[in-house]
Amino acid sequence: QVQLVESGGGLVQPGGSLRLSCAASGFTFSSYAMSWYRQAPGKGRELVARITAAGGTTNYADSVKGRFTISRDDAKNTVYLQMNSLKPEDTAVYYCNARSYYFEYWGQGTQVTVSS
């Protein structure tokens, strides 16, 4: 069955870095655009970063541009989110998303907490 399993979240101090991973299975990973979303307490889910199926195009929320980098390894069926210069306002549950023309899948989320 389809699975998206996020990992790499945790507690980090402001200014620190984390790398999130999302391991996919059960579908043709290379054919899907992959995205990271986040949801902070009391707020809606927002798009953080997206990478196209061919990996040629990336898009970022203005709030993370220059700090976060999304990448994918189709040989490993994995998408990554490198997060640098983390701020307290980056605290949220981060979700992996896979989308094609017909289907969309979500992971269970991983908590990222930025605090001193």
Side-chain angles (χ1 to χ4, degrees):
Q1 75 271 25
V2 172
Q3 281 193 309
L4 293 173
V5 180
E6 299 100 333
S7 61
L11 173 64
V12 63
Q13 292 187 340
S17 297
L18 283 175
R19 188 175 84 151
L20 304 183
S21 299
C22 172
S25 60
F27 62 98
T28 307
F29 179 80
S30 60
S31 297
Y32 282 67
M34 299 299 298
S35 301
W36 287 96
Y37 286 75
R38 68 185 180 187
Q39 187 166 17
K43 296 188 176 181
R45 192 171 294 189
E46 64 168 346
L47 176 66
V48 175
R50 179 178 180 271
I51 187 166
T52 57
T57 302
T58 56
N59 301 99
Y60 298 92
D62 287 343
S63 58
V64 307
K65 279 181 183 176
R67 300 189 298 121
F68 290 12
T69 302
I70 188 170
S71 62
R72 63 190 297 158
D73 185 338
D74 288 352
K76 296 182 178 180
N77 286 359
T78 301
V79 62
Y80 304 97
L81 185 68
Q82 178 66 45
M83 305 186 294
N84 298 328
S85 303
L86 282 160
K87 305 175 181 180
E89 51 265 42
D90 295 317
T91 295
V93 178
Y94 284 71
Y95 296 91
C96 179
N97 172 276
R99 180 180 293 183
S100 71
Y101 186 82
Y102 295 104
F103 302 105
E104 183 176 28
Y105 308 117
W106 290 92
Q108 83 288 350
T110 186
Q111 176 70 47
V112 171
T113 302
V114 185
S115 175
S116 55

